[in-house]
Amino acid sequence: MLNFARTRSQPRSTRSMSLGGMDYVDPKRKGNFVGKVFLAAALTALCIIMIKRSPSLNPPSPFSIREPGVTHVLVTGGAGYIGSHATLRLLRDFYRVTIVDNLSRGNLGAVRVLQELFPEPGRLQFIYADLGDKESVNKIFSENKFDAVIHFAAVAYVGESTLDPLKYYHNITSNTLLVLESMAKYGVKKLIYSSTCATYGEPEKMPITEETDQKPINPYGKAKKMSEDIILDFSKTSNMAVMILRYFNVIGSDPEGRLGEAPRPELREHGRISGACFDAARGITTGLKVRGTDYKTPDGTCIRDYIDVTDLVDAHVKALEKAQPGKVGIYNVGTGKGRSVKEFVDACKKATGVNIKVDLLPRRPGDYAEVYSDPSKINLELNWTAKHTDLEKSLQIAWKWQKSHRNGYGISSAI
């Protein structure tokens, strides 16, 4: 039988072929080499990740540990108008602060300003989260060591609350319950709760004291009162230090011009009267809408107690300092003096230098004729007094920020 097979001088897998004076390595051998390189790279990357995650090589976050002499405060809603001003004051006073905000009403720009002012490690952190998400709230408390909570986060427009009451009960009452549960679970023993004069409704007698009956007439006030009731019931079976601050109509902005009020454009219809005045003065709106001129007041317009945000923040810091374990303090935060809407508009015209056009409209649902405080209790027990009581001057400071920030903080709050 004839044998046509060729004998090979070397195995097929290791033999190279020569073509035109060039050697070509067998593709299978080359593939094995490339695979080994990729495997080595993958193993190296895995080792690096494991080393970075090693607790022995990575010190814990300063926000996750308690340090002697350092008070770590969780500020819910800290990207909002009042919350951002409170955070600024806390940082200035050397507190460690964590802001939690879902930016539905707050401004990422305000957080950026605060981060630029206090860039040192361990001073300020921002967590984007919704307090209505139980898992998120629990995770925040499990990963951070808080000494106190100042709970600002809330939707806060009377008119909007009458149009969408369920939003207010969810956002205010339900969210407060979730925060309280996590505080109890993780041993956070101090709560400063941001409440409102709207819990009083429309009392027959002025001024309002802390003993005035609470009879809210709109969902915003009702939701806040429910939250207060939950806090008070819980305080009876815990050793928590609780302060509840019921404040009145907030105006003004940071005197040094670092922060201001920048509400969402879509919320202008429901916003504060100061914002509405400034929008009219800047020509953003055609005029200022004054709702209700037939109230039983001297000039027919509503009477309110206007508190400067700087004074309001000072009251929160004093409450934080004075809160005692197992005790509850409830305080009205106001100037003790009522001003009518007409007086406010006149002051705004002077502050802006603009003869603002005023449109007189029917009453807004849920509003009340006259509300102003008796601040005697907070004066006596917390040694707090409103200092910025010149209405026109507070509006001038706020107007200065508005003029230099025509687009608010100028950046999107989207995450």
Side-chain angles (χ1 to χ4, degrees):
M1 188 174 190
L2 295 175
N3 184 0
F4 294 100
R6 294 185 299 172
T7 59
R8 301 182 185 277
S9 60
Q10 63 183 32
R12 182 183 298 273
S13 60
T14 59
R15 187 179 60 174
S16 62
M17 296 177 289
S18 179
L19 182 61
M22 299 179 65
D23 288 337
Y24 287 83
V25 178
D26 190 321
K28 291 184 178 179
R29 185 179 180 186
K30 184 177 180 180
N32 289 338
F33 174 75
V34 173
K36 289 177 180 179
V37 171
F38 276 116
L39 179 60
L43 289 172
T44 302
L46 181 61
C47 288
I48 292 172
I49 292 171
M50 292 177 69
I51 289 171
K52 286 185 174 181
R53 291 185 176 181
S54 173
S56 62
L57 297 176
N58 282 303
S61 163
F63 298 95
S64 67
I65 59 175
R66 286 196 170 92
E67 293 182 41
V70 178
T71 302
H72 184 185
V73 182
L74 167 61
V75 179
T76 69
Y81 168 45
I82 301 171
S84 61
H85 282 77
T87 300
L88 175 61
R89 169 64 186 275
L90 290 170
L91 290 167
R92 194 191 75 187
D93 289 357
F94 300 102
Y95 287 87
R96 174 174 290 158
V97 179
T98 292
I99 291 174
V100 172
D101 202 302
N102 68 0
L103 301 179
S104 62
R105 301 291 165 98
N107 290 277
L108 187 59
V111 177
R112 296 269 177 87
V113 169
L114 294 166
Q115 289 172 332
E116 290 171 2
L117 289 170
F118 301 93
E120 304 87 356
R123 296 302 314 280
L124 171 66
Q125 72 168 335
F126 170 68
I127 300 174
Y128 174 71
D130 191 328
L131 294 179
D133 184 335
K134 186 173 183 176
E135 290 185 6
S136 294
V137 175
N138 188 70
K139 186 173 186 288
I140 290 166
F141 276 85
S142 69
E143 294 179 352
N144 296 275
K145 297 295 184 184
F146 301 121
D147 298 295
V149 175
I150 302 182
H151 186 28
F152 287 110
V155 285
Y157 296 132
V158 168
E160 184 188 37
S161 78
T162 63
L163 299 174
D164 194 354
L166 295 184
K167 173 192 284 188
Y168 276 67
Y169 293 121
H170 271 292
N171 182 272
I172 296 173
T173 311
S174 297
N175 290 8
T176 298
L177 179 58
L178 291 180
V179 170
L180 267 180
E181 287 175 340
S182 285
M183 289 181 70
K185 182 176 180 179
Y186 293 98
V188 184
K189 296 294 187 179
K190 189 178 290 188
L191 172 64
I192 314 301
Y193 183 62
S194 168
S195 193
T196 171
C197 65
T199 64
Y200 293 113
E202 193 169 12
E204 296 179 2
K205 184 180 178 181
M206 288 290 144
I208 294 172
T209 70
E210 289 78 3
E211 285 70 42
T212 298
D213 288 341
Q214 289 178 288
K215 298 178 181 178
I217 62 173
N218 53 62
Y220 171 55
K222 291 175 183 178
K224 282 287 189 180
K225 184 180 182 301
M226 287 181 188
S227 295
E228 285 192 18
D229 290 341
I230 292 169
I231 293 167
L232 292 174
D233 284 343
F234 175 67
S235 70
K236 294 173 185 176
T237 59
S238 73
N239 197 40
M240 186 177 288
V242 174
M243 292 289 202
I244 296 173
L245 302 185
R246 298 171 184 157
Y247 47 89
F248 290 66
N249 295 65
V250 189
I251 60 170
S253 63
D254 171 43
E256 295 184 37
R258 295 164 293 188
L259 298 169
E261 183 180 10
R264 294 281 185 277
E266 66 270 19
L267 296 172
R268 284 194 171 101
E269 185 72 15
H270 305 295
R272 294 181 177 86
I273 186 174
S274 55
C277 278
F278 296 146
D279 284 346
R282 289 167 54 188
I284 294 174
T285 57
T286 57
L288 174 64
K289 298 176 181 178
V290 173
R291 299 183 181 278
T293 58
D294 59 347
Y295 289 98
K296 293 181 180 180
T297 59
D299 62 24
T301 62
C302 296
I303 291 177
R304 297 289 183 267
D305 189 341
Y306 296 100
I307 176 78
D308 192 285
V309 67
T310 302
D311 286 328
L312 179 60
V313 165
D314 186 52
H316 281 80
V317 173
K318 279 187 164 59
L320 181 63
E321 294 169 347
K322 301 275 188 179
Q324 297 295 319
K327 295 185 178 180
V328 177
I330 300 176
Y331 301 98
N332 290 335
V333 187
T335 65
K337 183 177 181 180
R339 309 282 185 90
S340 74
V341 169
K342 183 180 182 302
E343 288 179 278
F344 188 96
V345 173
D346 290 341
C348 194
K349 287 180 179 180
K350 292 177 182 177
T352 61
V354 178
N355 186 25
I356 299 167
K357 177 178 177 290
V358 178
D359 297 322
L360 303 178
L361 301 173
R363 296 185 185 188
R364 182 176 62 177
D367 264 344
Y368 24 80
E370 185 177 25
V371 174
Y372 62 94
S373 72
D374 176 356
S376 300
K377 184 180 177 184
I378 193 171
N379 296 164
L380 179 65
E381 296 185 9
L382 299 190
N383 192 30
W384 176 90
T385 304
K387 297 176 182 177
H388 302 81
T389 56
D390 185 326
L391 185 59
E392 186 179 334
K393 187 173 182 180
S394 290
L395 292 173
Q396 282 176 344
I397 292 171
W399 174 240
K400 186 177 180 180
W401 189 89
Q402 292 287 329
K403 285 196 299 180
S404 61
H405 296 79
R406 291 188 173 274
N407 296 315
Y409 286 98
I411 64 172
S412 171
S413 287
I415 293 291

